[in-house]
Amino acid sequence: MTETIYSVVEFCGKGDPFFGGTAADWALYKTEDGAFAFMGAAEAQRRKLVMAYFPTEAEAEKAGTAASTRKGLISALPVKPRLEVPTAQISWIVGNKHVGEEDGELAEDFADRAK
């Protein structure tokens, strides 16, 4: 049986931004220096960060509270680990990067992402 792990989300603001609201719900990511920070997915992807995961709900909430700069609502959310290979991500990477890149460069990219 696979055990549950926890991610953290900070809910801040009100109303859908598409309709003029200020809501911005961000996940907790592990930064380059090993600290934790809340940010949007686009920023995390640009910086090549991975989402922070915790073994218990209490640890997740504690880390989220410490990392919060906006003082929004912190929630630890259960995540069931997926142990299969992320074939959709691999297909996207190969489909978008295969033209003009050497196989070795793709292999390096996969190895970096696996870390």
Side-chain angles (χ1 to χ4, degrees), residues 91-103 105-106:
S91 296
W92 184 88
I93 292 166
V94 170
N96 286 294
K97 297 183 85 175
H98 77 283
V99 176
E101 280 200 39
E102 297 293 324
D103 289 346
E105 291 176 34
L106 282 174

Short mmCIF file of all heavy atoms in Angstrom, two decimals, residues 91-103 105-106:
data_model
loop_
_atom_site.label_atom_id
_atom_site.label_comp_id
_atom_site.label_asym_id
_atom_site.label_seq_id
_atom_site.Cartn_x
_atom_site.Cartn_y
_atom_site.Cartn_z
N SER A 91 6.41 12.65 -23.37
CA SER A 91 5.95 12.92 -24.74
C SER A 91 5.98 14.41 -25.04
O SER A 91 6.37 14.82 -26.13
CB SER A 91 4.53 12.39 -24.93
OG SER A 91 4.50 11.01 -24.79
N TRP A 92 5.56 15.24 -24.08
CA TRP A 92 5.56 16.69 -24.30
C TRP A 92 6.98 17.20 -24.49
O TRP A 92 7.24 17.99 -25.40
CB TRP A 92 4.91 17.39 -23.11
CG TRP A 92 4.79 18.86 -23.31
CD1 TRP A 92 3.77 19.54 -23.92
CD2 TRP A 92 5.75 19.86 -22.92
NE1 TRP A 92 4.04 20.89 -23.94
CE2 TRP A 92 5.24 21.12 -23.33
CE3 TRP A 92 6.98 19.83 -22.28
CZ2 TRP A 92 5.91 22.31 -23.11
CZ3 TRP A 92 7.66 21.01 -22.06
CH2 TRP A 92 7.12 22.23 -22.48
N ILE A 93 7.91 16.76 -23.66
CA ILE A 93 9.30 17.21 -23.76
C ILE A 93 9.89 16.80 -25.10
O ILE A 93 10.50 17.61 -25.81
CB ILE A 93 10.15 16.64 -22.60
CG1 ILE A 93 9.70 17.26 -21.27
CG2 ILE A 93 11.63 16.91 -22.82
CD1 ILE A 93 10.22 16.53 -20.05
N VAL A 94 9.71 15.54 -25.46
CA VAL A 94 10.26 15.05 -26.72
C VAL A 94 9.60 15.79 -27.89
O VAL A 94 10.27 16.22 -28.83
CB VAL A 94 10.09 13.53 -26.85
CG1 VAL A 94 10.43 13.05 -28.26
CG2 VAL A 94 10.95 12.82 -25.83
N GLY A 95 8.30 15.98 -27.84
CA GLY A 95 7.58 16.65 -28.91
C GLY A 95 7.96 18.10 -29.09
O GLY A 95 7.93 18.64 -30.20
N ASN A 96 8.34 18.77 -28.01
CA ASN A 96 8.66 20.18 -28.08
C ASN A 96 10.15 20.47 -28.19
O ASN A 96 10.53 21.58 -28.54
CB ASN A 96 8.10 20.92 -26.86
CG ASN A 96 6.61 21.08 -26.97
OD1 ASN A 96 6.13 21.78 -27.83
ND2 ASN A 96 5.88 20.40 -26.10
N LYS A 97 10.99 19.51 -27.90
CA LYS A 97 12.43 19.79 -27.88
C LYS A 97 13.23 18.94 -28.86
O LYS A 97 14.42 19.16 -29.00
CB LYS A 97 12.98 19.57 -26.47
CG LYS A 97 12.39 20.53 -25.45
CD LYS A 97 13.00 20.33 -24.11
CE LYS A 97 14.26 21.13 -24.04
NZ LYS A 97 14.89 21.10 -22.74
N HIS A 98 12.61 17.98 -29.50
CA HIS A 98 13.39 17.05 -30.31
C HIS A 98 13.98 17.68 -31.56
O HIS A 98 15.03 17.26 -32.02
CB HIS A 98 12.55 15.82 -30.69
CG HIS A 98 11.58 16.07 -31.79
ND1 HIS A 98 10.40 16.73 -31.60
CD2 HIS A 98 11.63 15.76 -33.11
CE1 HIS A 98 9.75 16.81 -32.73
NE2 HIS A 98 10.46 16.22 -33.67
N VAL A 99 13.36 18.69 -32.10
CA VAL A 99 13.87 19.30 -33.33
C VAL A 99 15.05 20.20 -32.99
O VAL A 99 14.93 21.13 -32.22
CB VAL A 99 12.76 20.12 -34.04
CG1 VAL A 99 13.32 20.82 -35.26
CG2 VAL A 99 11.61 19.21 -34.42
N GLY A 100 16.19 19.88 -33.53
CA GLY A 100 17.36 20.73 -33.34
C GLY A 100 18.17 20.43 -32.09
O GLY A 100 19.19 21.06 -31.86
N GLU A 101 17.74 19.49 -31.28
CA GLU A 101 18.52 19.14 -30.09
C GLU A 101 19.07 17.74 -30.23
O GLU A 101 18.42 16.84 -30.76
CB GLU A 101 17.65 19.21 -28.82
CG GLU A 101 17.48 20.62 -28.31
CD GLU A 101 17.05 20.66 -26.86
OE1 GLU A 101 17.54 19.83 -26.06
OE2 GLU A 101 16.24 21.52 -26.53
N GLU A 102 20.28 17.58 -29.74
CA GLU A 102 20.91 16.26 -29.78
C GLU A 102 20.26 15.34 -28.75
O GLU A 102 19.72 15.80 -27.74
CB GLU A 102 22.41 16.40 -29.47
CG GLU A 102 23.16 17.24 -30.49
CD GLU A 102 23.23 16.57 -31.85
OE1 GLU A 102 23.34 15.34 -31.92
OE2 GLU A 102 23.14 17.29 -32.85
N ASP A 103 20.35 14.03 -28.99
CA ASP A 103 19.80 13.07 -28.04
C ASP A 103 20.44 13.21 -26.67
O ASP A 103 19.78 13.04 -25.65
CB ASP A 103 19.99 11.64 -28.56
CG ASP A 103 19.08 11.34 -29.74
OD1 ASP A 103 18.14 12.11 -29.99
OD2 ASP A 103 19.33 10.31 -30.41
N GLU A 105 21.45 15.92 -25.22
CA GLU A 105 20.85 17.06 -24.51
C GLU A 105 19.50 16.67 -23.91
O GLU A 105 19.18 17.06 -22.79
CB GLU A 105 20.69 18.24 -25.46
CG GLU A 105 22.01 18.87 -25.87
CD GLU A 105 21.83 19.99 -26.88
OE1 GLU A 105 20.80 20.69 -26.80
OE2 GLU A 105 22.70 20.13 -27.74
N LEU A 106 18.71 15.89 -24.67
CA LEU A 106 17.44 15.40 -24.13
C LEU A 106 17.68 14.48 -22.94
O LEU A 106 16.97 14.56 -21.93
CB LEU A 106 16.64 14.68 -25.21
CG LEU A 106 15.91 15.55 -26.21
CD1 LEU A 106 15.28 14.69 -27.29
CD2 LEU A 106 14.86 16.38 -25.53
#
